[in-house]
């Protein structure tokens, strides 16, 4: 996952000013592995598709165009599109086919299991596609934490400085998605009662992804049926 980026929209005139004022910038979380995988998949689809369009015979060019029209939006949706935008007022989740905006006052909890999810006060659940869970990295972090705790206990029990006197040891390296969830939970606790963080949950379908993928699927079905 890339390091958080920031966007600076114009401040609202009614917001407090000064050092205590919240910073109205979006922190963006995305999956670096997803972006890299998506770029590679698009390159393969483009290479094979263009070759089939210009070198193919009969129905092959049309099948290649229909396949690209169907596959490219899906690859973009599941790899390049997912992102989570966070600021002091709300959480905006951009999933493959939807964009969900949740003011912090409408967020009930953020949970991590086999997937990272946000629960609204209404009970609705939304998966955070941009923050994939790495069970392997999570298990490794737990093992490192257990070893660090054991070493600290042995150092304290000896009653002498040793490593314990040098200061606290570096904590376990957690997966980026787990650290992002911790940051969002902390911000949620701080801002859920703020007046500016109230409002309604909104959900918008990504028709710019759904429409071309559906058109490609229909065209493929027509080409196969008439063949």
């Amino acid at each position: 996952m890339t390091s958080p980026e920031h966007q600076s929209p114009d401040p609202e005139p009614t917001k407090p000013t000064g050092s205590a004022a919240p910073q109205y910038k979006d922190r963006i979380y995305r999956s670096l592995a997803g972006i890299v995988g998506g770029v590679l998949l698009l390159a393969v689809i483009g290479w094979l598709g263009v070759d089939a369009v210009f070198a193919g015979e009969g129905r092959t060019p049309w099948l290649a165009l229909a396949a690209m029209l169907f596959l490219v939006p899906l690859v973009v949706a599941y790899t390049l599109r997912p992102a989570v935008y966070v600021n002091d007022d709300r959480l905006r989740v951009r999933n493959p086919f939807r964009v969900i905006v949740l003011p912090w006052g409408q967020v009930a909890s953020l949970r991590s299991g086999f997937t990272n999810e946000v629960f609204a006060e209404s009970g609705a659940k939304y998966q955070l596609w941009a923050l994939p869970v790495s069970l392997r990295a999570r298990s490794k972090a737990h093992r490192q934490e257990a070893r660090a705790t054991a070493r600290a206990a042995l150092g304290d029990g000896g009653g002498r400085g040793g490593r314990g006197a040098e200061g606290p040891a570096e904590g376990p390296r957690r997966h980026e998605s787990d650290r992002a969830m911790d940051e969002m939970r902390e911000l949620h606790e701080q801002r859920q009662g703020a007046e500016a963080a109230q409002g309604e949950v909104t959900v918008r379908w990504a028709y710019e992804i759904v429409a071309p993928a559906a058109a490609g699927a229909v065209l493929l079905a027509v080409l196969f049926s008439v063949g």
Side-chain angles (χ1 to χ4, degrees):
M1 179 169 39
T2 58
S3 57
E5 305 168 10
H6 296 280
Q7 295 178 345
S8 302
D10 295 334
E12 299 179 21
T14 58
K15 300 296 182 183
T17 58
S19 59
Q23 299 296 316
Y24 297 95
K25 298 179 180 179
D26 279 357
R27 178 174 296 178
I28 307 172
Y29 298 100
R30 306 185 72 180
S31 172
L32 179 59
I35 294 174
V36 173
V39 170
L40 292 176
L41 282 175
L42 289 175
V44 172
I45 292 173
W47 174 48
L48 295 177
V50 171
D51 181 70
V53 169
F54 288 99
E57 299 178 355
R59 294 189 309 153
T60 300
W62 292 103
L63 287 172
L65 286 173
M68 286 193 293
L69 185 60
F70 174 66
L71 292 176
V72 169
L74 295 182
V75 171
V76 171
Y78 284 101
T79 60
L80 305 183
R81 177 179 168 81
V84 176
Y85 299 81
V86 179
N87 66 20
D88 289 337
D89 294 341
R90 54 101 180 103
L91 172 70
R92 182 160 65 98
V93 181
R94 193 172 71 184
N95 280 344
F97 300 108
R98 295 189 298 178
V99 176
I100 306 102
V101 179
L102 302 101
W104 287 119
Q106 290 293 327
V107 174
S109 63
L110 292 138
R111 304 180 192 176
S112 298
F114 292 106
T115 60
N116 288 315
E117 301 162 340
V118 56
F119 286 78
E121 291 288 352
S122 62
K125 177 180 71 174
Y126 306 101
Q127 184 176 342
L128 305 180
W129 282 82
L131 298 175
V133 170
S134 174
L135 297 179
R136 180 181 179 183
R138 186 177 293 172
S139 299
K140 182 178 180 180
H142 288 329
R143 290 195 299 269
Q144 291 177 347
E145 185 176 5
R147 287 196 295 266
T149 302
R151 286 195 299 267
L154 290 175
D156 292 342
R160 299 186 181 275
R163 285 189 173 271
E166 299 175 1
E170 183 181 355
R173 291 183 177 273
R174 304 185 68 202
H175 192 259
E176 290 91 341
S177 63
D178 291 332
R179 293 201 297 267
M181 292 294 288
D182 289 341
E183 293 173 2
M184 287 189 289
R185 290 189 187 99
E186 182 179 356
L187 186 57
H188 172 232
E189 292 177 1
Q190 296 173 356
R191 298 291 298 170
Q192 60 181 334
E195 181 180 356
Q198 308 306 311
E200 298 296 328
V201 177
T202 61
V203 179
R204 180 183 69 84
W205 285 94
Y207 294 106
E208 66 275 14
I209 297 292
V210 176
V218 171
L219 184 56
L220 277 175
V222 171
L223 290 173
F224 279 118
S225 63
V226 300

